[in-house]
Amino acid sequence: MSFTLPAIPFAPAALEPHIDAKTMEIHHGKHHQAYITNLNNAVAATPALQGQSLEDLLATISQHAPVVRNNAGGHWNHSFFWNLLSPTPTTPSAALSDAIASTFGSLEAFKKAFEKEGLARFGSGWVWLVKTPEGKLVITSTPNQDNPLMDSAPVKGTPILGNDVWEHAYYLHYQNRRADYLKAFWNVLNWHQASAHFGA
Ligand SMILES: [Fe+2]
């Protein structure tokens, strides 16, 4: 069994002007594919990893080599990310909308806090909205290709939505303006998918 690149269900230019076609093509076809290739190579070289699902690997990531951590994380995070993007506007479910409002004050306040967390992540990483095992919504960020499903994560839980703040996600169009990229994300976020992750 080997891991394979999932297709994106829209054209590379479909998210323009917020995310440009060239970035989508390179991000998906080169960066994501590289995580998958490296993960498959690591699994092929390590019999104990064979037959494990991606989620199994993440849940026990502290026991695995850095090459597994980086590439299993990279594969899961990008697969999650593509599904969170939509060329057409969407809105959160009533349940997610209510939970965000009661936790952060309002949707706008949540967006600002999420952008702030994404901007504060030094170097490469991800910013997440997570539902903790206690059912609370929390904004957190992780370095590199770590994520909240890893046993090593300081904040663990179910990712509701996440944004990739690696420069490869935005540099061609936004150059050093990560803040502008974080703001533009709201225009292409698939709230239907985020609501499904929330469970309502
Ligand atoms: Fe990425």
Side-chain angles (χ1 to χ4, degrees):
M1 185 194 80
S2 60
F3 297 102
T4 54
L5 185 68
I8 298 178
F10 49 80
L15 304 178
E16 290 189 349
H18 310 295
I19 301 179
D20 64 286
K22 193 74 180 164
T23 294
M24 285 298 294
E25 285 168 358
I26 296 173
H27 199 178
H28 178 248
K30 304 292 183 188
H31 290 281
H32 189 176
Q33 181 60 61
Y35 295 119
I36 294 168
T37 302
N38 293 336
L39 176 60
N40 285 334
N41 289 341
V43 169
T46 315
L49 301 180
Q50 289 161 17
Q52 293 198 43
S53 71
L54 197 49
E55 287 73 16
D56 289 342
L57 293 174
L58 298 178
T60 54
I61 209 72
S62 61
Q63 301 169 30
H64 305 308
V67 66
V68 178
R69 180 176 183 154
N70 293 336
N71 293 292
H75 180 29
W76 192 93
N77 293 347
H78 288 85
S79 302
F80 181 78
F81 185 62
W82 309 132
N83 280 328
L84 269 179
L85 301 176
S86 169
T88 52
T90 57
T91 53
S93 66
L96 179 55
S97 195
D98 289 350
I100 285 174
S102 67
T103 306
F104 302 101
S106 68
L107 185 59
E108 283 312 304
F110 159 68
K111 288 179 178 177
K112 279 199 168 51
F114 188 90
E115 290 169 27
K116 190 176 171 192
E117 184 82 16
L119 207 50
R121 166 51 55 192
F122 182 76
S124 297
W126 289 74
V127 53
W128 307 95
L129 176 66
V130 169
K131 185 161 82 170
T132 68
E134 297 76 37
K136 284 189 176 327
L137 287 180
V138 178
I139 295 170
T140 186
S141 78
T142 52
N144 305 312
Q145 294 297 353
D146 287 2
N147 69 40
L149 297 175
M150 292 182 171
D151 61 353
S152 56
V155 175
K156 285 182 271 299
T158 304
I160 306 302
L161 61 95
N163 196 2
D164 186 345
V165 297
W166 283 59
E167 283 188 346
H168 70 220
Y170 62 87
Y171 206 84
L172 289 179
H173 185 66
Y174 294 93
Q175 290 83 48
N176 61 322
R177 292 174 284 114
R178 186 191 286 184
D180 291 350
Y181 162 75
L182 282 160
K183 274 197 196 352
F185 174 65
W186 306 118
N187 295 305
V188 294
L189 172 61
N190 185 342
W191 280 108
H192 295 161
Q193 190 65 43
S195 301
H197 295 146
F198 182 66

